[in-house]
Amino acid sequence: MLHCSGTRTTQSYTFRRCKEDHLKRGWKDIGYHYYITRDGQVHEGRPLWQEGAHCKGHNKHSIGICYEGGLDALGNACDTRTKAQRESMRALLTRLHDQFPSTIIMGHRDLSPDLDGDGHVEPEEWLKFCPCFDALWDYGDLEPEGLLDWPSDSMEN
Ligand SMILES: [Zn+2]
């Protein structure tokens, strides 16, 4: 499952910072299995055999991957992935897809309930934008076979 760190492009949010913030919450390690910084470097967080802490209710059966960013300079949700981040994200997902071919690649928001806005954008609402791009679309070619196929008669009904 893909996440963004929810930080602005003008702000550096390193692997170390992210890990420290998660440890401050009382967690035993960074919540993600992988963290991709703006320079494209893939930092290994929790080992895969260890349950992550990145999406309540789904940690037991998912791999958490986060990229640094997700907000533009003004704080708006935005696909801020750098070219280097896109390249290493794709390489990482290709490798994981080979290892776990039946695993669905999705964004955090694909699982969030669409909370209704009250006119204010609270930080916790960013969750529904996370990871700020369409993971199913971007990595459609790496999805399990058949996942994105429409029933053949769907156009006729
Ligand atoms: Zn997320």
Side-chain angles (χ1 to χ4, degrees), residues 1 4 7-8 18 25 29 31 35 38 49-50 55 60 70 78 84 89 91 94 111 126 139 144 148 151 155:
M1 184 181 311
C4 61
T7 50
R8 301 182 185 208
C18 181
R25 293 185 197 175
D29 198 350
Y35 187 81
R38 290 177 55 75
W49 51 265
Q50 206 173 81
C55 184
K60 275 197 183 350
C78 179
M89 189 177 277
T94 304
L111 281 176
W126 288 123
Y139 303 110
L148 300 178
M155 302 296 285

Short mmCIF file of all heavy atoms in Angstrom, two decimals, residues 1 4 7-8 18 25 29 31 35 38 49-50 55 60 70 78 84 89 91 94 111 126 139 144 148 151 155:
data_model
loop_
_atom_site.label_atom_id
_atom_site.label_comp_id
_atom_site.label_asym_id
_atom_site.label_seq_id
_atom_site.Cartn_x
_atom_site.Cartn_y
_atom_site.Cartn_z
N MET A 1 0.84 -1.19 0.00
CA MET A 1 0.00 0.00 0.00
C MET A 1 0.88 1.24 0.00
O MET A 1 1.86 1.32 0.72
CB MET A 1 -0.89 -0.02 1.24
CG MET A 1 -1.85 1.15 1.24
SD MET A 1 -2.87 1.17 2.69
CE MET A 1 -3.44 -0.52 2.74
N CYS A 4 2.00 8.80 1.11
CA CYS A 4 2.93 9.92 1.05
C CYS A 4 3.16 10.37 2.49
O CYS A 4 2.36 10.07 3.37
CB CYS A 4 2.36 11.06 0.21
SG CYS A 4 0.82 11.74 0.86
N THR A 7 4.09 15.80 3.55
CA THR A 7 4.92 16.98 3.80
C THR A 7 5.11 17.76 2.50
O THR A 7 4.97 17.22 1.40
CB THR A 7 6.31 16.58 4.36
OG1 THR A 7 6.87 15.55 3.54
CG2 THR A 7 6.16 16.03 5.77
N ARG A 8 5.40 19.05 2.62
CA ARG A 8 5.51 19.93 1.46
C ARG A 8 6.83 19.74 0.71
O ARG A 8 7.83 19.34 1.29
CB ARG A 8 5.41 21.40 1.92
CG ARG A 8 4.11 21.68 2.64
CD ARG A 8 4.03 23.14 3.03
NE ARG A 8 2.81 23.35 3.82
CZ ARG A 8 2.16 24.51 3.87
NH1 ARG A 8 2.62 25.57 3.24
NH2 ARG A 8 1.06 24.62 4.58
N CYS A 18 11.24 10.80 9.89
CA CYS A 18 10.00 10.04 9.88
C CYS A 18 10.05 8.96 10.95
O CYS A 18 9.11 8.77 11.71
CB CYS A 18 9.79 9.44 8.49
SG CYS A 18 8.27 8.51 8.35
N ARG A 25 5.72 8.25 18.83
CA ARG A 25 4.35 7.79 19.07
C ARG A 25 4.31 6.52 19.90
O ARG A 25 3.25 5.95 20.14
CB ARG A 25 3.67 7.46 17.73
CG ARG A 25 3.42 8.66 16.86
CD ARG A 25 2.65 8.22 15.63
NE ARG A 25 2.73 9.23 14.58
CZ ARG A 25 2.22 9.06 13.35
NH1 ARG A 25 1.61 7.93 13.05
NH2 ARG A 25 2.34 9.99 12.45
N ASP A 29 9.27 0.91 15.74
CA ASP A 29 10.10 1.20 14.56
C ASP A 29 9.29 2.14 13.67
O ASP A 29 8.12 2.41 13.96
CB ASP A 29 10.39 -0.13 13.82
CG ASP A 29 11.56 -0.02 12.86
OD1 ASP A 29 12.03 1.10 12.59
OD2 ASP A 29 12.00 -1.07 12.36
N GLY A 31 6.81 3.09 10.83
CA GLY A 31 5.62 2.32 10.51
C GLY A 31 5.65 1.65 9.14
O GLY A 31 4.90 0.70 8.89
N TYR A 35 10.67 3.51 2.62
CA TYR A 35 10.47 4.96 2.60
C TYR A 35 11.36 5.52 1.49
O TYR A 35 12.57 5.33 1.49
CB TYR A 35 10.85 5.56 3.95
CG TYR A 35 10.52 7.02 4.09
CD1 TYR A 35 9.22 7.44 4.40
CD2 TYR A 35 11.49 8.01 3.89
CE1 TYR A 35 8.90 8.78 4.52
CE2 TYR A 35 11.19 9.35 4.01
CZ TYR A 35 9.89 9.74 4.33
OH TYR A 35 9.58 11.07 4.45
N ARG A 38 13.11 12.08 -1.57
CA ARG A 38 13.01 12.83 -2.81
C ARG A 38 14.17 12.54 -3.77
O ARG A 38 14.04 12.70 -4.98
CB ARG A 38 12.90 14.33 -2.52
CG ARG A 38 11.54 14.69 -1.91
CD ARG A 38 11.42 16.14 -1.55
NE ARG A 38 11.70 17.04 -2.66
CZ ARG A 38 10.84 17.26 -3.67
NH1 ARG A 38 9.69 16.68 -3.68
NH2 ARG A 38 11.17 18.09 -4.63
N TRP A 49 8.81 -9.32 7.18
CA TRP A 49 8.15 -10.31 8.02
C TRP A 49 7.49 -9.66 9.22
O TRP A 49 6.69 -10.29 9.92
CB TRP A 49 9.12 -11.42 8.46
CG TRP A 49 10.41 -10.92 9.07
CD1 TRP A 49 11.60 -10.74 8.42
CD2 TRP A 49 10.63 -10.52 10.43
NE1 TRP A 49 12.54 -10.25 9.31
CE2 TRP A 49 11.98 -10.12 10.54
CE3 TRP A 49 9.82 -10.48 11.57
CZ2 TRP A 49 12.54 -9.66 11.74
CZ3 TRP A 49 10.38 -10.02 12.77
CH2 TRP A 49 11.73 -9.62 12.84
N GLN A 50 7.80 -8.39 9.44
CA GLN A 50 7.22 -7.72 10.60
C GLN A 50 6.03 -6.87 10.14
O GLN A 50 6.09 -6.21 9.12
CB GLN A 50 8.28 -6.82 11.22
CG GLN A 50 8.08 -6.56 12.68
CD GLN A 50 9.27 -5.80 13.24
OE1 GLN A 50 9.36 -4.59 13.10
NE2 GLN A 50 10.20 -6.52 13.85
N CYS A 55 -1.67 1.57 8.19
CA CYS A 55 -3.07 1.69 7.82
C CYS A 55 -3.87 0.77 8.72
O CYS A 55 -3.86 -0.45 8.56
CB CYS A 55 -3.27 1.33 6.35
SG CYS A 55 -4.96 1.55 5.81
N LYS A 60 -1.83 -6.15 8.91
CA LYS A 60 -1.48 -7.57 8.95
C LYS A 60 -1.20 -8.14 7.57
O LYS A 60 -0.43 -9.07 7.43
CB LYS A 60 -2.64 -8.36 9.59
CG LYS A 60 -2.58 -8.38 11.10
CD LYS A 60 -3.49 -9.49 11.63
CE LYS A 60 -3.57 -9.55 13.13
NZ LYS A 60 -2.65 -8.73 13.90
N GLY A 70 3.94 14.81 -1.15
CA GLY A 70 2.49 14.67 -1.21
C GLY A 70 1.76 16.00 -1.10
O GLY A 70 0.56 16.06 -1.34
N CYS A 78 -0.95 16.85 -3.69
CA CYS A 78 -0.39 16.93 -5.04
C CYS A 78 0.59 15.79 -5.23
O CYS A 78 1.29 15.41 -4.29
CB CYS A 78 0.31 18.29 -5.13
SG CYS A 78 1.10 18.62 -6.69
N ALA A 84 13.23 10.77 -9.82
CA ALA A 84 13.98 9.73 -9.12
C ALA A 84 13.06 8.88 -8.25
O ALA A 84 13.20 7.65 -8.18
CB ALA A 84 15.08 10.36 -8.28
N MET A 89 10.30 3.92 -7.17
CA MET A 89 9.04 3.32 -6.74
C MET A 89 8.65 2.20 -7.71
O MET A 89 8.25 1.11 -7.30
CB MET A 89 7.94 4.38 -6.67
CG MET A 89 6.65 3.88 -6.04
SD MET A 89 5.36 5.16 -5.87
CE MET A 89 5.85 5.97 -4.35
N ALA A 91 10.65 0.51 -9.69
CA ALA A 91 11.60 -0.60 -9.55
C ALA A 91 11.27 -1.45 -8.32
O ALA A 91 11.25 -2.69 -8.39
CB ALA A 91 13.03 -0.06 -9.46
N THR A 94 8.04 -3.40 -8.96
CA THR A 94 8.28 -4.48 -9.91
C THR A 94 8.91 -5.67 -9.18
O THR A 94 8.50 -6.82 -9.35
CB THR A 94 9.21 -4.01 -11.05
OG1 THR A 94 8.61 -2.86 -11.66
CG2 THR A 94 9.41 -5.09 -12.09
N LEU A 111 -8.62 2.92 0.23
CA LEU A 111 -9.29 2.20 1.32
C LEU A 111 -10.02 3.12 2.29
O LEU A 111 -10.81 2.68 3.10
CB LEU A 111 -8.26 1.39 2.12
CG LEU A 111 -7.82 0.08 1.51
CD1 LEU A 111 -6.74 -0.53 2.39
CD2 LEU A 111 -8.99 -0.87 1.38
N TRP A 126 -6.14 14.70 5.14
CA TRP A 126 -5.19 14.41 4.06
C TRP A 126 -5.14 12.93 3.77
O TRP A 126 -4.81 12.51 2.69
CB TRP A 126 -3.79 14.90 4.40
CG TRP A 126 -3.65 16.37 4.38
CD1 TRP A 126 -3.22 17.15 5.42
CD2 TRP A 126 -3.92 17.28 3.30
NE1 TRP A 126 -3.22 18.47 5.04
CE2 TRP A 126 -3.64 18.58 3.76
CE3 TRP A 126 -4.38 17.10 2.00
CZ2 TRP A 126 -3.79 19.70 2.95
CZ3 TRP A 126 -4.53 18.22 1.19
CH2 TRP A 126 -4.25 19.50 1.66
N TYR A 139 0.16 1.88 -11.71
CA TYR A 139 0.82 0.58 -11.68
C TYR A 139 -0.11 -0.52 -12.17
O TYR A 139 0.04 -1.68 -11.78
CB TYR A 139 1.36 0.31 -10.26
CG TYR A 139 2.31 1.41 -9.84
CD1 TYR A 139 1.99 2.32 -8.85
CD2 TYR A 139 3.53 1.58 -10.52
CE1 TYR A 139 2.83 3.36 -8.52
CE2 TYR A 139 4.38 2.62 -10.20
CZ TYR A 139 4.03 3.50 -9.20
OH TYR A 139 4.88 4.54 -8.90
N PRO A 144 -2.37 -7.70 -10.07
CA PRO A 144 -2.65 -9.12 -10.32
C PRO A 144 -3.51 -9.26 -11.57
O PRO A 144 -4.35 -8.41 -11.83
CB PRO A 144 -3.41 -9.56 -9.09
CG PRO A 144 -3.22 -8.52 -8.07
CD PRO A 144 -2.82 -7.25 -8.76
N LEU A 148 -8.05 -5.47 -13.09
CA LEU A 148 -8.59 -4.27 -13.72
C LEU A 148 -9.44 -4.59 -14.95
O LEU A 148 -9.84 -3.71 -15.69
CB LEU A 148 -7.45 -3.31 -14.09
CG LEU A 148 -6.61 -2.82 -12.91
CD1 LEU A 148 -5.49 -1.91 -13.37
CD2 LEU A 148 -7.47 -2.09 -11.89
N PRO A 151 -16.06 -6.68 -16.61
CA PRO A 151 -16.85 -7.77 -17.20
C PRO A 151 -17.09 -7.43 -18.67
O PRO A 151 -17.34 -6.28 -19.00
CB PRO A 151 -18.14 -7.76 -16.40
CG PRO A 151 -17.85 -6.96 -15.15
CD PRO A 151 -16.70 -6.04 -15.46
N MET A 155 -20.31 -2.92 -21.03
CA MET A 155 -20.57 -1.80 -21.90
C MET A 155 -21.96 -1.87 -22.51
O MET A 155 -22.51 -0.89 -22.99
CB MET A 155 -19.54 -1.72 -23.04
CG MET A 155 -18.11 -1.60 -22.59
SD MET A 155 -17.79 -0.06 -21.68
CE MET A 155 -17.78 1.10 -23.06
#
